[in-house]
Amino acid sequence: MTAPRLDVDLDLVTHNTRSLVDRLAPRGIRVTGVAKATLGSRDVAAAMVLGGASGIGDSRIENLARLRAAGAAAPLTLIRSPMLSQAERVVRTADVSLNTEAVVLAALSTAALHQVVTHDVVLMVELGDLREGIATVDVVDLAGVVAALPGLRLAGLGTNLACRSGIVPDQDKMDQLSALVELVEARVGRPLTIVTGGNSANLDWALGTNDVGRIDELRLGESILLGTEPLHRQPIVGLRTDAFTLVAEVIEVQTKPAQAWGATGQNAFGDTPLRGGPGLVRQAIAAIGRQDVDPDGATPPDGMTVLAASSDHLVLDVGDHDVAVGDEISFRLDYSALVRAMTSPFVSTSRVTRPAIDPVPLDPVPLTGGAA
Ligand SMILES: *Cc1c(COP(=O)(O)O)cnc(C)c1O
């Protein structure tokens, strides 16, 4: 096998999606599977759809274009506000886009007229996290503008919290979004069909509340892919945290002093490294580095510790593990490490299968195939 590589267990992606879909469906909430951390992988998107995701979202139009070209039949949503310069491409590629800017909406309208299609628009509302979003006082007016633009259909409202500032999506925030939905419906005179309440950070609220209000969709990436929730980075009960494994090859194993010697300046990344103290370390170097993974988000097997990372080397204390040159070491990844690994041209991906996980009933809806 080539190294470094990312081993992807698609059954676990499907399992995690199914588990979340089954828990949210009784609450009237659909799941859009967010594929952006996997570079818009067709196989991962298909695994999400197999698990019951009602559509696929991605922040990059290039990723959605790849899914579209692969014959994706599920609705595709661009979850980052479109670039003005990409309006034509967004309308051609995405069924839905999340928006905040009138000038972009005008360009999407022109593009939709040009392509003789209807493009669905969700307006994103600023509820305190201070990333994308329209001020609440401006939402109804902008909704009126969208409703009047030819080629566009105002599909709904959404919000995104816990991304820039870690603001928690709680009952109060979701109630504000629901209240705005009612105001917009009164203004445009028809019901909205998408009320997308947020990302994996919304799961605590969505699974705990007894009043989801008008929220009928969540956009889930991290929880599906890694089985964790972003507010406290804890595993979610019933989900698998091992769908993705990064594998690197060992290129040196030596016993070395824990303490470096000589006059000490900064290392290659501008840190002044901590001296290691007395004693010896059984140290291995894995042929992977900051170009390929966020070393802070890569967890080696129990009993090993990451000591340091440069662009191309990951230095590990391998403890009592029996490690030799040429061996492979597997790492669990957090979201940041997964994104870096997926986007490194040096890391290949491979599908792995394991013995069947607990038998969840699957509802085979192929992402690829005749329907597109
Ligand atoms: C990344 C992203 C998501 C998915 O977030 P997760 O925490 O991975 O579930 C949802 N919505 C938007 C707008 C995003 O940028």
Side-chain angles (χ1 to χ4, degrees), residues 123-125 134-144 157 180 184:
L123 293 180
M124 294 296 275
V125 181
I134 309 153
T136 51
V137 292
D138 297 330
V139 169
V140 173
D141 282 348
L142 191 58
L157 296 186
L180 281 167
V184 167

Side-chain angles (χ1 to χ4, degrees), residues 4-356:
R5 67 173 189 279
L6 204 63
D7 285 341
V8 186
D9 189 327
L10 295 171
D11 290 343
L12 298 185
V13 173
T14 299
H15 166 83
N16 285 355
T17 312
R18 169 61 66 198
S19 175
L20 291 164
V21 165
D22 284 351
R23 281 185 252 181
L24 291 166
R27 297 170 168 262
I29 296 180
R30 304 179 299 272
V31 171
T32 286
V34 174
K36 67 188 183 198
T38 68
L39 215 53
S41 156
R42 187 195 73 161
D43 288 337
V44 170
M48 289 173 168
V49 171
L50 194 62
S54 60
I56 297 297
D58 204 292
S59 47
R60 308 283 174 144
I61 198 68
E62 294 82 355
N63 288 347
L64 291 182
R66 209 174 301 128
L67 290 173
R68 187 62 88 202
L76 300 181
T77 300
L78 181 66
I79 63 173
R80 185 173 72 181
S81 311
M83 291 185 212
L84 186 56
S85 61
Q86 293 185 333
E88 285 280 347
R89 200 164 177 205
V90 170
V91 167
R92 197 178 324 116
T93 308
D95 300 289
V96 188
S97 59
L98 310 186
N99 286 274
T100 62
E101 291 287 350
V103 60
V104 172
L105 289 159
L108 292 174
S109 167
T110 304
L113 282 180
H114 190 213
Q115 295 174 33
V116 203
V117 294
T118 301
H119 182 74
D120 278 356
V121 165
V122 169
L123 293 180
M124 294 296 275
V125 181
E126 175 60 70
L127 290 178
D129 199 53
L130 301 180
R131 204 180 70 181
E132 73 275 36
I134 309 153
T136 51
V137 292
D138 297 330
V139 169
V140 173
D141 282 348
L142 191 58
V145 170
V146 174
L149 280 172
L152 300 187
R153 194 177 74 95
L154 179 67
L157 296 186
T159 195
N160 194 64
L161 294 163
C163 265
R164 176 183 161 190
S165 313
I167 299 302
V168 175
D170 56 14
Q171 191 67 43
D172 175 53
K173 301 290 186 194
M174 293 300 106
D175 286 349
Q176 289 181 49
L177 186 60
S178 291
L180 281 167
V181 170
E182 312 272 330
L183 291 176
V184 167
E185 287 178 340
R187 169 69 169 264
V188 302
R190 57 173 184 77
L192 298 180
T193 54
I194 301 175
V195 184
T196 181
N199 53 51
S200 296
N202 284 58
L203 284 168
D204 254 5
W205 165 80
L207 297 172
T209 183
N210 47 29
D211 180 15
V212 300
R214 294 294 308 273
I215 313 305
D216 62 17
E217 186 201 275
L218 292 180
R219 310 175 301 273
L220 302 180
E222 176 167 343
S223 50
I224 290 177
L225 299 172
L226 298 177
T228 49
E229 55 78 34
L231 287 178
H232 312 99
R233 292 258 134 69
Q234 292 303 308
I236 298 171
V237 176
L239 300 195
R240 295 287 297 252
T241 57
D242 53 349
F244 294 83
T245 307
L246 182 64
V247 181
E249 185 174 325
V250 173
I251 54 174
E252 180 186 300
V253 185
Q254 308 260 339
T255 299
K256 300 200 179 189
Q259 182 153 338
W261 64 88
T264 307
Q266 293 188 346
N267 68 11
F269 289 90
D271 311 317
T272 306
L274 296 172
R275 295 300 196 92
L280 298 174
V281 175
R282 267 196 79 239
Q283 170 180 309
I285 299 176
I288 192 165
R290 290 178 190 268
Q291 291 192 77
D292 316 295
V293 69
D294 176 356
D296 296 329
T299 309
D302 284 347
M304 292 192 194
T305 345
V306 175
L307 296 174
S310 60
S311 306
D312 309 292
H313 301 77
L314 198 67
V315 184
L316 296 141
D317 176 347
V318 294
D320 299 329
H321 283 266
D322 190 16
V323 174
V325 169
D327 284 356
E328 292 184 337
I329 297 180
S330 297
F331 298 85
R332 291 286 179 76
L333 302 177
D334 73 5
Y335 199 78
S336 149
L338 173 63
V339 171
R340 190 92 62 89
M342 281 296 314
T343 50
S344 168
F346 302 103
V347 178
S348 65
T349 51
S350 70
R351 296 167 59 153
V352 297
T353 50
R354 290 171 216 215

